[in-house]
């Protein structure tokens, strides 16, 4: 089961990268649209565990999974932004 999950993740990642390359080849497409497509793919991640936990009746696991995934996405996004364009330290005075 784990091996099937890893294979599915690799295939999905490859498909996402190929689709983004095709979309990026068209210069008329807005960069925000490309980012929205990637964000949707990343944001869809907690849906399957939430569905599985809801079927089992463990609503606490659903909340924890959704909140944890959201927090991780926010931290990674802010961290990537800080790495690409760090803010200067405040000047005293």
């Amino acid at each position: 089961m784990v091996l099937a999950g890893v294979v599915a993740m690799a295939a999905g990642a490859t498909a996402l990268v190929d689709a983004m390359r095709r979309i990026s080849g068209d210069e008329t497409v807005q960069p925000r649209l490309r980012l929205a497509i990637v964000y949707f793919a990343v944001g869809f991640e907690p849906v399957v565990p939430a569905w599985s936990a809801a079927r089992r009746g463990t609503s606490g696991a659903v909340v924890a999974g959704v909140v944890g995934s959201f927090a991780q996405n926010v931290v990674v996004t802010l961290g990537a932004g800080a790495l690409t364009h760090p803010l200067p330290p405040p000047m005293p005075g």
Side-chain angles (χ1 to χ4, degrees):
M1 200 66 153
V2 173
L3 183 59
V6 170
V7 169
M9 283 182 9
T14 302
L16 178 64
V17 169
D18 289 343
M20 291 312 301
R21 282 186 183 152
R22 278 182 271 152
I23 290 172
S24 297
D26 184 7
E27 293 299 322
T28 62
V29 177
Q30 298 283 335
R32 290 182 185 150
L33 175 63
R34 291 180 276 190
L35 290 175
I37 292 170
V38 172
Y39 186 75
F40 176 77
V42 171
F44 195 72
E45 170 192 352
V47 170
V48 173
W51 177 69
S52 176
R55 278 187 16 199
R56 294 181 182 158
T58 55
S59 60
V62 174
V63 173
V66 169
V67 170
S69 177
F70 178 74
Q72 187 246 350
N73 286 339
V74 167
V75 169
V76 169
T77 302
L78 292 175
L83 286 173
T84 59
H85 193 276
L87 296 175
M91 295 297 192

